[in-house]
Amino acid sequence: MMIISFVKYPMSTARTFLHSLSSSPFHHRHRRRRLLSTSSPFSLPLKPLSFSPLSTLPQQVLFSSHETQDNNKCDISSTGFPESFNFDESFDSTELKKFETPAVEVSELEDIPDQWRRSRLAWLCKELPAHKTPTMVRILNAQRKWLKQEDATYVAVHCMRIRENEAAFRVYKWMMQQHWFRFDFALATKLADYLGKERKHLKCQEIFDDIINQGRVPSESTFHILIIAYLSSPGPSVLDEACRIYNRMVHLGGYKPRLNLHNSLFKALLGKTQGSSKHFLKQAEFIYQNLISSGLDIHKDIFGGLIWLHSYQDVVDMERIAALRAEMRSRGIQESKEVLVSVLRACSKDGDLEEAERTWSKLLSVDPSPPSQAFVYKMEVYAKIGEPMKSLEVFRRMQKQLSSTSVAAYHKIIKVLSKSQRLDLAESIMSEFINSCMKPLIPSFIDLMGMYSIASLHEKLESTFLRCREICAPNQTVFNIYLDSLVHTGNLNRAEEIFNEMRDDVAISLDSRSCNSMLRGYLTSGEYVKAEKIYHLMHQKKYDIEIESSLMEKLDYFLSLREKVVEEPIRPKLTKEQREVLMGLLLGGLQMRSYGERRRRVHAIHFDFNEESRIHAILKGHVHDEFHEWLGSHDLTGDGTDDIPSSFTTISHSCFTFYADQFWPNGCPGIPKLIHRWLSPCVLAYWYMYGGYRTSSGDILLRVKGSREEVANIVKVLKAQSLDSRVKKRGRVFWIGFLGDNATWFWKVVEPYILDKLKDLLKAGGKSDGSLEIQSVNFDSGSESDEKNSDYNDADTSQGLF
């Protein structure tokens, strides 16, 4: 037996070596087997990744998201103060211990007795890596009569040796479909490790699952490499998958992960916005406990990150925070400014004035000029104990000490004064806020209007509403407060105008609250016919009816007189706008799910939005409202856009069969042959909003998946509509590019159907802020195949340019 390590040969060197093997004398006949042993490159330690989202600090991510969206709820954390977690070089240190991986046994080429078999294997090793998947499968299928497990293993190992890991993966998948296939744990482990090292996380995961399905536990190296591969890959759910595999590594495999793996995963948890990160608290605590039980060194920012996560929970565990702080002190770790700010945040939620004062004193000793965020949390503590004037004192002290005022500070003090009904002070600071030209103003307008509503100052409420309309974008909560006021004062004519405006404007739209207000107003004034229409609208959209029982009795009596069976469900039917929205989203990558047998199969639409995208954050609220009546009860949310999950699924219904047949034939995405009938400006607009991008130069790109012929048909349809475009293929994804003046013309066509809040982000030309860019697509070069730049990670690398 001999040990052979993988060496990265150039292609020309590999082919020379292969030729020498096929023609050399059999001078090693006594060595019957060749081993791929632990001396391969995967026995080297993996350096923790510099995970790209972590280049943006958690609070900076939070602040940027608040700047671009009108939030009905103002979180006091939206100050833009960077709570940095300084994962320094010692945190990311690599470990020199090698992984122990099983050796792969392969025959020597010269040991194969038949000359023709040696020649065929040598030819396969040379030929297969040069072809794409369909051709490779055809070549392998043609060798079925003589190709056996040992031969296919030799080819796969050779492909790995010359770093053609994609080819090795295709050979391995082909092997699995043969009747003679016997599972080879060592081969699967080595291939999974190589694919994971290249960050092909989906293919690595596929082999990882194969190993488990065979009743085997993957090796430690496979767990480790797959987790790192997920952490280095883009996508909304990669962190969840990385955590899931980490947990299985501990529970299923019984392994003790390396220090750098603990740290890399913990670092990724803190790389999310606070809204997303707070859901990973249990995972962070699990990593911390594993560090403790393994006796590994705990970096100071592990403690800081845990306290940060605890401070953002809806219900803060002050005892746990105190225990973490005590553990820090016992290890001689000084509390940083960021840790003290996190403790202040926790105190502000818990209303713990005593602890807040002690923490404030420590913060002043660390930094005589505390960040504005700390002042905001102290204001909140005083507000919790019912002392709004002390909150105002803290606000004025911050203005004097820092010579500036943050947006979050204005939001907080106006909220505090509005809740305590300090009308003059709230109005004065609101005027100061407006004159400062800071944004967003809407949260404070909402607080003021709520204050006037409680005080029954409806004239002031109306003037505040009109002022808000002048200087702010339309907002659903603002309109709802004004609508409630109009109904309360009996001004139904004006209320109807506002209600119809909300229904017609997609940037506002209706919700349960607005419908209940109008229903209450109509029933109170005796407008039963109009009340019936609102009632059926609410029934169709599955809104809860929240009106007084006495008014509901009146409606029931009226409906009984008209012999209406109000409990009978209304059969849903897609509207024209819903049909166009669906087509646009399906072209942009929306997925469908099928259930049941072939003849009785029903379909559902699965909406999936990127939680890191500002465009998707706005679009999902509109889509959720548009398809509200089609969603299951578990996907229905409250009135706030922040409550809407990043993915939700409709009920299964026969209405979706047409779209499944046209856009998802055989369970795969495709483009209908009759697309020319449906490619309207509205469809293009939703395609652009869901699956399109604007580059920094102002060009517009649309992403689509289908065959070359199908994409060529789309280009032909666009050409007929005077929309000239260029096409580029990357992996299995096509990019349709509207460049220069063509982008401007495309924008003119779709602009009327783009949501108002997205027009500034998607408008052709101008200067992009970089948040919408993808990696540059060069339409002047040949087609590319790049898994990393494609949401579709299939192994098809066929070339094609139109």
Side-chain angles (χ1 to χ4, degrees):
M1 306 292 284
M2 62 181 296
I3 304 298
I4 295 181
S5 62
F6 279 6
V7 181
K8 187 170 184 178
Y9 300 106
M11 183 60 72
S12 59
T13 306
R15 289 175 178 171
T16 302
F17 172 70
L18 181 62
H19 176 73
S20 65
L21 281 178
S22 61
S23 59
S24 62
F26 303 153
H27 57 283
H28 292 304
R29 282 191 177 275
H30 62 286
R31 296 174 180 175
R32 304 296 301 175
R33 292 284 176 180
R34 181 181 302 173
L35 298 179
L36 300 180
S37 69
T38 57
S39 58
S40 70
F42 279 107
S43 61
L44 297 177
L46 282 179
K47 184 176 181 180
L49 302 172
S50 178
F51 188 47
S52 58
L54 298 175
S55 60
T56 306
L57 300 173
Q59 288 287 32
Q60 291 173 328
V61 176
L62 172 66
F63 184 56
S64 64
S65 65
H66 279 276
E67 284 285 74
T68 57
Q69 301 180 41
D70 293 329
N71 291 314
N72 298 341
K73 300 176 182 178
C74 173
D75 194 289
I76 57 178
S77 62
S78 313
T79 60
F81 173 73
E83 288 186 87
S84 59
F85 297 98
N86 300 312
F87 300 115
D88 53 27
E89 190 172 339
S90 63
F91 186 87
D92 284 338
S93 62
T94 58
E95 299 155 13
L96 300 179
K97 180 182 175 183
K98 297 180 179 180
F99 285 116
E100 295 182 1
T101 57
V104 182
E105 293 187 0
V106 290
S107 301
E108 294 277 2
L109 187 63
E110 62 269 22
D111 290 344
I112 298 175
D114 301 320
Q115 174 64 36
W116 67 270
R117 186 182 292 270
R118 292 198 300 272
S119 299
R120 296 296 289 176
L121 277 178
W123 176 79
L124 281 176
C125 290
K126 177 181 178 181
E127 195 70 18
L128 289 179
H131 292 286
K132 303 174 185 66
T133 302
T135 306
M136 281 189 65
V137 173
R138 285 196 296 269
I139 293 174
L140 288 169
N141 285 339
Q143 321 303 317
R144 276 179 176 170
K145 291 184 178 180
W146 67 271
L147 202 60
K148 302 301 178 186
Q149 173 106 10
E150 308 80 49
D151 306 320
T153 300
Y154 181 88
V155 175
V157 166
H158 172 79
C159 291
M160 282 189 280
R161 186 181 298 117
I162 64 174
R163 293 302 186 268
E164 291 288 348
N165 299 316
E166 286 279 352
F169 175 78
R170 294 170 199 153
V171 173
Y172 176 79
K173 298 304 289 184
W174 180 86
M175 290 171 60
M176 292 182 64
Q177 299 172 6
Q178 309 310 310
H179 68 277
W180 42 253
F181 176 73
R182 302 183 309 276
F183 179 72
D184 188 334
F185 177 74
L187 177 64
T189 298
K190 198 65 64 177
L191 181 56
D193 289 357
Y194 267 73
L195 290 169
K197 184 100 184 265
E198 289 186 348
R199 308 313 180 219
K200 311 280 182 149
H201 62 283
L202 295 180
K203 293 182 175 62
C204 182
Q205 176 77 62
E206 194 171 339
I207 301 179
F208 177 87
D209 293 336
D210 289 340
I211 295 173
I212 292 178
N213 292 337
Q214 291 290 332
R216 302 292 298 271
V217 177
S219 66
E220 182 182 1
S221 66
T222 306
F223 277 106
H224 185 108
I225 293 167
L226 182 54
I227 293 170
I228 295 296
Y230 267 112
L231 293 182
S232 64
S233 302
S237 60
V238 292
L239 183 55
D240 294 307
E241 285 297 320
C243 292
R244 185 180 66 85
I245 296 164
Y246 173 87
N247 296 340
R248 295 180 78 177
M249 182 179 185
V250 176
H251 296 305
L252 176 65
Y255 298 115
K256 292 186 176 181
R258 310 288 178 84
L259 175 61
N260 59 334
L261 185 62
H262 290 297
N263 291 344
S264 294
L265 185 56
F266 196 93
K267 185 177 181 181
L269 297 181
L270 301 181
K272 298 291 227 176
T273 62
Q274 63 88 7
S276 301
S277 282
K278 71 178 185 179
H279 301 300
F280 288 104
L281 175 61
K282 289 184 178 180
Q283 183 66 48
E285 286 281 9
F286 183 60
I287 296 173
Y288 172 77
Q289 294 302 327
N290 285 333
L291 285 168
I292 293 289
S293 61
S294 300
L296 300 173
D297 292 334
I298 301 180
H299 192 274
K300 62 180 181 180
D301 283 330
I302 294 287
F303 290 105
L306 270 178
I307 294 174
W308 181 80
L309 288 171
H310 273 286
S311 69
Y312 272 117
Q313 301 304 304
D314 297 329
V315 179
V316 179
D317 188 349
M318 293 299 294
E319 292 183 1
R320 179 58 180 156
I321 292 177
L324 289 170
R325 296 177 71 188
E327 182 67 18
M328 289 179 66
R329 288 192 294 270
S330 68
R331 293 171 179 263
I333 300 175
Q334 296 294 324
E335 292 181 327
S336 64
K337 177 174 65 176
E338 290 77 22
V339 169
L340 294 174
V341 170
S342 294
V343 174
L344 269 179
R345 184 188 302 110
C347 292
S348 70
K349 292 186 174 183
D350 201 48
D352 190 344
L353 178 62
E354 184 178 351
E355 182 60 36
E357 292 288 1
R358 284 197 297 267
T359 305
W360 180 261
S361 300
K362 290 182 181 179
L363 184 60
L364 290 178
S365 64
V366 174
D367 184 0
S369 298
S372 61
Q373 192 178 18
F375 284 96
V376 173
Y377 295 140
K378 195 174 183 185
M379 290 159 54
E380 173 69 5
V381 173
Y382 283 122
K384 280 285 178 66
I385 64 173
E387 296 189 16
M389 297 310 296
K390 286 197 173 182
S391 296
L392 182 60
E393 290 178 10
V394 174
F395 176 77
R396 294 305 184 191
R397 191 184 315 141
M398 179 192 68
Q399 289 182 313
K400 182 178 180 181
Q401 188 169 346
L402 302 182
S403 301
S404 63
T405 310
S406 67
V407 173
Y410 273 120
H411 287 171
K412 177 51 60 180
I413 192 60
I414 292 172
K415 179 185 285 291
V416 170
L417 295 175
S418 297
K419 283 188 175 181
S420 62
Q421 292 292 303
R422 307 297 174 108
L423 275 68
D424 294 338
L425 290 173
E427 291 171 350
S428 174
I429 294 181
M430 186 64 189
S431 298
E432 181 183 326
F433 187 21
I434 293 174
N435 294 333
S436 70
C437 298
M438 293 182 177
K439 291 184 179 181
L441 296 167
I442 283 181
S444 295
F445 272 117
I446 291 172
D447 292 330
L448 279 182
M449 292 175 67
M451 176 182 67
Y452 293 139
S453 178
I454 294 173
S456 297
L457 298 174
H458 298 287
E459 292 183 0
K460 283 196 171 186
L461 189 151
E462 182 173 24
S463 62
T464 304
F465 169 78
L466 296 175
R467 178 63 172 156
C468 181
R469 291 195 67 173
E470 290 178 4
I471 60 180
C472 298
N475 180 269
Q476 189 181 76
T477 303
V478 171
F479 272 77
N480 274 332
I481 296 174
Y482 182 48
L483 185 65
D484 290 341
S485 174
L486 293 173
V487 170
H488 184 77
T489 57
N491 191 354
L492 286 184
N493 291 333
R494 177 60 175 162
E496 283 183 347
E497 293 177 8
I498 294 298
F499 184 83
N500 292 332
E501 183 178 351
M502 295 175 68
R503 181 176 56 192
D504 297 336
D505 191 341
V506 295
I508 310 172
S509 71
L510 299 175
D511 64 352
S512 175
R513 178 177 177 180
S514 53
C515 290
N516 274 293
S517 294
M518 288 306 300
L519 181 61
R520 184 179 296 106
Y522 285 139
L523 291 175
T524 303
S525 61
E527 297 279 355
Y528 296 113
V529 176
K530 292 182 178 179
E532 181 186 11
K533 293 180 180 179
I534 294 293
Y535 174 80
H536 287 306
L537 174 64
M538 296 177 68
H539 191 53
Q540 181 182 7
K541 289 184 172 291
K542 300 182 181 179
Y543 290 151
D544 293 332
I545 297 178
E546 301 171 355
I547 59 175
E548 296 80 359
S549 58
S550 58
L551 295 177
M552 195 63 206
E553 290 174 1
K554 292 181 180 180
L555 178 62
D556 290 339
Y557 177 71
F558 174 75
L559 293 174
S560 65
L561 293 177
R562 294 169 60 87
E563 298 180 350
K564 293 283 187 179
V565 182
V566 297
E567 290 81 8
E568 181 181 354
I570 299 175
R571 297 189 66 181
K573 185 179 180 180
L574 288 170
T575 64
K576 180 178 181 297
E577 181 178 356
Q578 286 174 331
R579 292 195 297 269
E580 291 190 306
V581 170
L582 272 185
M583 290 182 182
L585 298 183
L586 285 166
L587 286 171
L590 192 68
Q591 297 183 1
M592 300 198 70
R593 293 181 175 177
S594 302
Y595 308 93
E597 300 176 358
R598 178 173 299 179
R599 294 182 179 180
R600 298 181 179 179
R601 183 166 294 180
V602 290
H603 307 276
I605 306 294
H606 179 66
F607 297 97
D608 192 8
F609 296 90
N610 184 355
E611 61 181 8
E612 305 295 339
S613 169
R614 292 185 288 169
I615 294 175
H616 278 208
I618 297 171
L619 180 62
K620 75 174 180 181
H622 169 66
V623 172
H624 187 277
D625 182 72
E626 186 69 30
F627 291 89
H628 191 279
E629 69 272 24
W630 293 92
L631 302 180
S633 57
H634 60 283
D635 283 318
L636 296 176
T637 64
D639 295 338
T641 304
D642 294 339
D643 299 328
I644 299 175
S646 58
S647 62
F648 45 89
T649 306
T650 66
I651 58 174
S652 302
H653 200 276
S654 58
C655 282
F656 301 128
T657 302
F658 168 79
Y659 301 94
D661 294 340
Q662 296 293 329
F663 291 91
W664 273 78
N666 302 318
C668 298
I671 301 170
K673 293 181 180 179
L674 300 179
I675 189 64
H676 60 279
R677 295 184 180 180
W678 307 316
L679 208 58
S680 66
C682 182
V683 171
L684 289 173
Y686 280 93
W687 182 5
Y688 180 28
M689 287 187 285
Y690 187 70
Y693 299 87
R694 182 190 69 174
T695 66
S696 58
S697 60
D699 297 333
I700 290 175
L701 308 180
L702 298 180
R703 181 187 60 191
V704 66
K705 190 177 182 185
S707 67
R708 274 189 299 176
E709 294 75 15
E710 290 172 340
V711 177
N713 191 25
I714 286 185
V715 174
K716 186 186 299 184
V717 175
L718 294 172
K719 179 76 172 178
Q721 298 179 5
S722 300
L723 296 173
D724 293 331
S725 60
R726 302 282 298 278
V727 178
K728 179 75 172 183
K729 186 175 185 183
R730 276 190 163 177
R732 298 188 68 180
V733 178
F734 288 92
W735 294 95
I736 300 177
F738 300 91
L739 314 179
D741 294 338
N742 294 325
T744 303
W745 181 246
F746 176 85
W747 175 252
K748 289 181 180 179
V749 172
V750 302
E751 182 182 9
Y753 302 94
I754 299 291
L755 300 183
D756 289 340
K757 291 184 179 181
L758 297 181
K759 288 185 176 179
D760 290 339
L761 296 174
L762 293 174
K763 184 177 181 181
K767 184 178 180 181
S768 170
D769 60 3
S771 62
L772 306 171
E773 286 193 62
I774 57 169
Q775 189 170 349
S776 176
V777 178
N778 182 8
F779 287 89
D780 295 325
S781 64
S783 297
E784 300 174 29
S785 176
D786 188 351
E787 181 184 42
K788 184 171 60 176
N789 295 318
S790 170
D791 289 346
Y792 305 93
N793 292 309
D794 303 53
D796 183 4
T797 57
S798 57
Q799 305 292 317
L801 239 186
F802 305 118

